[in-house]
Amino acid sequence: MKRIKAACICQTLHFMLKEDVAHDYAVKVVQEEVEHYKKNLDRNQTKYRILEQTEEPDGSIMLKVIKQYNNSPVGNYLD
């Protein structure tokens, strides 16, 4: 029999600009979307660590994150 001792998932998320709105507004919406994503992780009590957050030249945001997979223990992945 096997049991999961620790599990995390590493993701690179690209929060892209909407194309059918003004650029400044699209950048603002992306920034709000990133904050909403982080608050959702906190609200759901998902353990996570942001490795990198970069703003691309067009204003979109790349987010590299390691986060808890389902409700599995995270072991030392987030140390």
Side-chain angles (χ1 to χ4, degrees):
M1 180 186 331
K2 63 182 176 183
R3 294 181 191 250
I4 296 174
K5 291 293 189 179
C8 281
I9 186 167
C10 182
Q11 294 180 323
T12 301
L13 304 167
H14 188 186
F15 293 87
M16 298 171 53
L17 301 178
K18 292 186 177 185
E19 295 182 15
D20 57 342
V21 296
H23 180 75
D24 292 339
Y25 178 71
V27 169
K28 180 182 175 190
V29 168
V30 163
Q31 292 170 345
E32 290 172 355
E33 187 178 0
V34 170
E35 290 307 312
H36 182 263
Y37 176 78
K38 292 176 187 177
K39 286 179 183 176
N40 244 2
L41 290 172
D42 291 333
R43 186 178 318 118
N44 294 332
Q45 298 178 347
T46 302
K47 297 175 184 170
Y48 69 97
R49 185 175 67 187
I50 295 175
L51 301 176
E52 185 178 335
Q53 179 174 333
T54 56
E55 186 170 331
E56 299 296 303
D58 67 348
S60 64
I61 295 177
M62 294 287 282
L63 187 69
K64 292 184 182 180
V65 62
I66 296 177
K67 67 180 188 174
Q68 183 178 23
Y69 183 73
N70 293 336
N71 288 325
S72 299
V74 295
N76 62 354
Y77 284 110
L78 299 178
D79 292 342

